[in-house]
Amino acid sequence: MRVLSFALAAAFASVASASLQVVPGATWTTPNGEHLQAHGAGMIVVNGTYYMIGEDKSGGHSFSNVNCYSSTDLVQWTFAGALLTRQASGDLGPNRVVERPKVIYNDKTRKYVLWMHMDSSNYGEARVAVATGDSVCGRYQYLRSFQPLGRESRDMGLFKDDDGKGYLLTEDRKHGLRIVALSDDFTSPTTDVFSWKLEGGNRVEAPAMIKLGRTYFMFASMMTGWDSNENQYTTSTSLSGGWSSWKKFADSGSKTYNSQTTYILKTSETSAIYLGDRWLKDNLMASSYIWLPLTISGTTVTMKNKVSWVPTTNFAAWREPPAENSYEGEKATYGGKARDVSCSTCSNKVTAGYIGGPDKGSVTFNGVKSDVDGLTTIRIKYLSGDSSPRYANVRVNGDGGRKIAFLPAKGDPASSTLHVNLKKGDNTIVIEGVGNGWGPDVDRLMVPVQ
């Protein structure tokens, strides 16, 4: 029996940045100082670099861009360009819906092929669209939109098999989820390979598929609109039949930790990572990402929730994050007119508020300890009652700082990630405003000890 477990195994060497962490559900700030905008994303690996391609929701529901980000560690992501951008009219014009973009590489044509869900604002068209590019994050040539094999398509995915053949995974409300073979150049559908009929309540969407060894794993969510549900999976050794009954893989009642499947990242022949979206249907730009390691034993898949986790060098395993020290905001040193703000959900019932603004409020954390020199992930716990992001400039040990984004967060404090080099011993971290804008109300810093 093949057993996949993201265990803490000595066989996997630790990375130099041992506490660089994936933090599910947090604000993920990219080097341009904005929350990463690649929702409904897919991923492709080129020469050891991971490229994430997804929806730009910074402008809300309507299409803005298909964005591409790059990373070599799955934690720090850099904006690399937009594959497609809004046009004055047509399929890519105003008030259009473009969702779930996925890219696969065609070995014969040496083209990157992009598929996506294309629709009107009321979801009345139910089409797919295709574009091609010469480089993974370059500008793509838009080809056309259509209903594959004359049938509706909304949530969709792509799959490239070991033999180089490509497949469209398409959700058809009238005929169920389908696997459809693609033409040799990956730009057209050819024949149905398999379909899950709408029987026994198995109405699924948001498909994502991988192959581990000889077994195919199909993941999907139930149909509950933007609301999360108990996502499911099924397995088979053949694309054309023999699929097992659908089963959930996250804890019962968790609604897949309030997320929906967008992609399953295969990291080796025995390992994979779940990539999901935590949608905020009334404020889509503030939607976040739930990425979690999967545990697979034979054909059984399970997934546990985590505050954070540490990928290893080859991403075929993961580590628990190191122990953390907590530095409370109200115990830090205030500058300008920063001051305590009441917070019923915070650990000490107050936060450090009035950061930034016209009076240039700031908060300084002295004596932030680290046992080692190196790159680490700090979780800034905060609140923000705005409907758009707030920003802060965060300086470490006297440097010029970096702009960090903070998505709207009411109720319990949320996390924003700060990836930064700390020195062994005591460190000083200053959080201040950007321009005259207000920063977040800071509850505390969660800092890895090593």
Side-chain angles (χ1 to χ4, degrees):
M1 175 182 293
R2 181 181 69 256
V3 177
L4 161 61
S5 178
F6 286 81
L8 307 181
F12 296 101
S14 64
V15 295
S17 303
S19 57
L20 199 60
Q21 302 165 41
V22 175
V23 184
T27 305
W28 292 1
T29 305
T30 59
N32 66 356
E34 299 291 343
H35 176 55
L36 188 149
Q37 290 290 333
H39 307 282
M43 201 172 289
I44 185 170
V45 186
V46 181
N47 297 325
T49 297
Y50 289 79
Y51 294 93
M52 178 168 41
I53 295 158
E55 310 160 31
D56 179 356
K57 293 296 189 187
S58 59
H61 184 262
S62 297
F63 170 64
S64 295
N65 302 285
V66 173
N67 283 343
C68 183
Y69 293 82
S70 66
S71 176
T72 56
D73 56 28
L74 296 183
V75 176
Q76 302 176 104
W77 291 91
T78 299
F79 179 69
L83 311 190
L84 297 172
T85 60
R86 181 185 294 173
Q87 304 297 304
S89 61
D91 278 349
L92 302 178
N95 301 315
R96 299 292 293 171
V97 170
V98 175
E99 296 177 335
R100 298 189 171 272
K102 304 291 187 290
V103 168
I104 53 177
Y105 181 70
N106 189 287
D107 301 293
K108 295 179 180 179
T109 65
R110 297 184 179 180
K111 294 277 190 179
Y112 293 91
V113 184
L114 166 67
W115 286 69
M116 65 212 101
H117 169 207
M118 173 66 65
D119 225 319
S120 57
S121 59
N122 65 356
Y123 287 90
E125 295 179 5
R127 302 162 74 88
V128 293
V130 184
T132 60
D134 294 323
S135 61
V136 62
C137 277
R139 301 294 292 183
Y140 279 52
Q141 179 184 4
Y142 183 77
L143 300 181
R144 66 195 184 283
S145 70
F146 56 94
Q147 290 194 331
L149 302 181
R151 287 176 288 203
E152 292 182 349
S153 179
R154 290 186 174 85
D155 281 3
M156 51 132 294
L158 289 178
F159 174 69
K160 183 179 176 181
D161 210 342
D162 298 337
D163 59 5
K165 294 181 179 179
Y167 298 87
L168 171 68
L169 316 175
T170 170
E171 178 268 308
D172 178 351
R173 299 292 165 91
K174 295 180 180 179
H175 300 92
L177 177 65
R178 293 181 291 136
I179 302 173
V180 179
L182 296 178
S183 58
D184 286 347
D185 64 0
F186 294 171
T187 63
S188 300
T190 57
T191 57
D192 284 329
V193 176
F194 188 80
S195 66
W196 284 267
K197 303 297 183 182
L198 300 182
E199 299 171 354
N202 285 332
R203 295 174 59 87
V204 294
E205 60 181 2
M209 188 161 65
I210 57 169
K211 184 181 183 182
L212 299 178
R214 296 181 57 249
T215 302
Y216 298 95
F217 293 77
M218 174 74 86
F219 294 77
S221 77
M222 308 304 286
M223 291 187 184
T224 54
W226 294 103
D227 297 328
S228 56
N229 57 61
E230 308 284 352
N231 287 203
Q232 311 278 311
Y233 76 98
T234 177
T235 64
S236 177
T237 55
S238 171
L239 291 176
S240 60
W243 290 93
S244 65
S245 59
W246 291 92
K247 300 177 183 178
K248 58 192 172 186
F249 54 95
D251 289 340
S252 294
S254 71
K255 296 185 177 179
T256 324
Y257 313 118
N258 190 18
S259 72
Q260 182 186 40
T261 302
T262 183
Y263 191 76
I264 305 297
L265 176 62
K266 176 180 176 179
T267 53
S268 77
E269 284 302 318
T270 56
S271 61
I273 299 170
Y274 168 87
L275 276 58
D277 289 291
R278 179 173 288 170
W279 297 113
L280 293 182
K281 60 184 177 182
D282 296 324
N283 192 5
L284 288 174
M285 73 85 197
S287 300
S288 57
Y289 310 94
I290 306 301
W291 291 9
L292 291 165
L294 295 170
T295 298
I296 302 175
S297 178
T299 58
T300 300
V301 183
T302 57
M303 183 175 75
K304 294 295 183 182
N305 199 16
K306 296 191 174 295
V307 173
S308 64
W309 54 280
V310 180
T312 59
T313 303
N314 57 7
F315 311 120
W318 66 279
R319 297 178 184 275
E320 295 285 0
E324 296 176 314
N325 286 331
S326 176
Y327 297 87
E328 305 293 337
E330 78 279 2
K331 295 180 181 178
T333 302
Y334 293 173
K337 292 191 177 181
R339 58 186 184 272
D340 289 347
V341 174
S342 177
C343 172
S344 62
T345 58
C346 297
S347 55
N348 286 343
K349 305 305 179 184
V350 293
T351 66
Y354 292 91
I355 294 171
D359 296 314
K360 309 297 183 184
S362 65
V363 58
T364 299
F365 295 84
N366 293 303
V368 176
K369 296 188 178 299
S370 176
D371 289 347
V372 294
D373 294 314
L375 187 62
T376 192
T377 298
I378 295 173
R379 293 186 293 123
I380 304 176
K381 303 292 288 184
Y382 72 96
L383 289 173
S384 172
D386 292 351
S387 59
S388 58
R390 292 187 182 184
Y391 302 95
N393 186 56
V394 181
R395 296 188 289 113
V396 178
N397 296 327
D399 66 12
R402 68 282 298 146
K403 181 183 174 185
I404 301 296
F406 298 83
L407 293 176
K410 302 177 182 178
D412 294 332
S415 290
S416 183
T417 56
L418 170 65
H419 310 302
V420 67
N421 281 294
L422 294 182
K423 64 181 182 180
K424 184 177 181 180
D426 289 346
N427 296 265
T428 299
I429 298 176
V430 178
I431 302 177
E432 58 194 10
V434 175
N436 287 325
W438 292 106
D441 294 344
V442 176
D443 174 35
R444 59 192 184 277
L445 303 184
M446 301 302 298
V447 182
V449 176
Q450 58 184 15

